[in-house]
Amino acid sequence: MASRLEKHRSAIKTVEKVAQERKHTLVIHYSCESFYDRPEGRSARITSIAVRNLESAVTHSFSIHKAAEVDKKTTTVADTDYDRLEKKMLKDFYDFVESHQNYIWLHWNMRDINYGFPALEHRYEVLGGKPKQIPEERLFDLARILVSWYGTGYAGHPRLTSLMKKNRITDRDFLSGAEEAGAFDKGEYVKLHQSTLRKVDVMANIFGRLEDGTLKTNSSWRDIYGGFLPMSLNFVLNHWLVAGIGLVSSVVGLVGGIWSFVNWLGTSNGGNGGA
């Protein structure tokens, strides 16, 4: 099992990788009807998906009310039409996925059949579509990265909203999971769409603060590094001044070795000449 320091260092490498590919990183989130209280076992219907480029902030969105508007020149979604419109929305999304296979997809807990990429794929299959799978190595879970970086106590639950409050990130248009379920029941699809758009904006904001070291959390140095000795080791391995001293020491040692070798050659040649 990885130590706290190992998890922290792994998270740093992950963030560096995403940052290096930020032009080809997409932040994704989606909204759906409640995936709880489903005694009949039917999968939760999707209402909107938002995908934002981490570098340019250009955002593509796919939503049930936009599909209805294109289909009928109205944003009204009749229950009898929902499956057909949802399939159209998901087809547009998976066409987008197909053209962005090599991008990094940065998400928040989109890991399983309840809520995640598997749920989107399953829903599209139920409606008769053929989803294009995103390679697993291109999926990066920001929620898990934060736990690896700061430890499990970095924010109260729900962590996303707790982080927003801690860092004074506005919650305009932001709906909680329960609020989204209520909005779905009321047919408030535009409100759901705005919430989804807001969440990818929030996630991009949080990643930016994580990258530049300004993200505020509840974690202490012990929570992050696991103790004084691991923290000291991390400092030695990463601090630029210590690294610079180590480099200078290496250069000095190398020069000294070369000088000793030259002196030895001179002594050896002098001794041979005397013979």
Side-chain angles (χ1 to χ4, degrees):
M1 184 176 179
S3 68
R4 178 87 286 281
L5 180 59
E6 288 171 333
K7 290 178 180 178
H8 176 70
R9 290 176 61 78
S10 175
I12 291 175
K13 290 179 181 179
T14 300
V15 169
E16 288 174 346
K17 176 178 175 58
V18 174
Q20 287 169 1
E21 296 190 48
R22 62 188 311 115
K23 289 183 179 179
H24 296 93
T25 294
L26 301 171
V27 184
I28 180 172
H29 201 75
Y30 76 93
S31 60
C32 60
E33 67 178 318
S34 175
F35 41 82
Y36 299 110
D37 303 323
R38 313 200 65 74
E40 79 284 5
R42 179 177 59 81
S43 52
R45 286 169 160 173
I46 312 303
T47 55
S48 64
I49 307 169
V51 182
R52 171 187 168 123
N53 185 283
L54 188 61
E55 173 71 13
S56 68
V58 171
T59 304
H60 298 267
S61 61
F62 313 86
S63 65
I64 197 73
H65 76 277
K66 284 174 61 179
E69 186 175 18
V70 170
D71 188 65
K72 293 186 174 182
K73 310 304 180 188
T74 176
T75 57
T76 303
V77 182
D79 189 63
T80 53
D81 294 334
Y82 198 103
D83 285 0
R84 178 173 57 82
L85 295 172
E86 184 185 9
K87 183 178 181 181
K88 175 178 173 54
M89 173 186 65
L90 289 173
K91 181 186 183 306
D92 291 344
F93 169 68
Y94 278 107
D95 286 347
F96 180 86
V97 168
E98 190 165 10
S99 63
H100 293 78
Q101 281 285 287
N102 295 323
Y103 277 60
I104 286 175
W105 294 73
L106 189 67
H107 62 94
W108 189 276
N109 282 334
M110 287 178 54
R111 297 194 300 264
D112 57 41
I113 195 66
N114 278 332
Y115 181 85
F117 294 99
L120 291 173
E121 292 165 11
H122 176 72
R123 188 63 194 158
Y124 191 35
E125 288 174 339
V126 166
L127 296 170
K130 294 182 179 179
K132 185 70 175 180
Q133 245 186 0
I134 302 169
E136 191 172 328
E137 64 271 14
R138 305 304 290 174
L139 303 178
F140 289 79
D141 187 350
L142 180 57
R144 296 192 70 188
I145 292 171
L146 289 168
V147 169
S148 293
W149 188 298
Y150 293 107
T152 57
Y154 75 88
H157 292 282
R159 286 178 172 143
L160 188 57
T161 52
S162 294
L163 271 184
M164 290 170 65
K165 291 176 182 177
K166 185 82 173 177
N167 290 273
R168 297 184 178 180
I169 300 172
T170 178
D171 61 355
R172 180 175 54 85
D173 297 327
F174 188 102
L175 299 178
S176 67
E179 289 170 334
E180 285 190 350
F184 181 91
D185 292 339
K186 296 174 184 175
E188 297 174 333
Y189 303 120
V190 176
K191 185 181 287 188
L192 282 163
H193 184 227
Q194 293 300 323
S195 176
T196 308
L197 289 171
R198 182 63 188 143
K199 286 180 179 178
V200 293
D201 181 65
V202 168
M203 290 162 60
N205 189 320
I206 289 173
F207 181 86
R209 296 183 190 216
L210 176 62
E211 181 187 0
D212 65 20
T214 61
L215 186 67
K216 296 177 182 177
T217 71
N218 295 334
S219 297
S220 65
W221 60 266
R222 184 178 294 277
D223 296 324
I224 297 172
Y225 301 106
F228 178 76
L229 288 177
M231 182 183 70
S232 301
L233 175 61
N234 185 73
F235 180 84
V236 169
L237 292 175
N238 291 288
H239 196 275
W240 67 269
L241 180 58
V242 176
I245 292 172
L247 178 62
V248 171
S249 298
S250 297
V251 171
V252 170
L254 179 62
V255 171
I258 293 172
W259 181 253
S260 297
F261 180 67
V262 169
N263 282 338
W264 175 82
L265 282 178
T267 304
S268 176
N269 288 337
N272 289 336

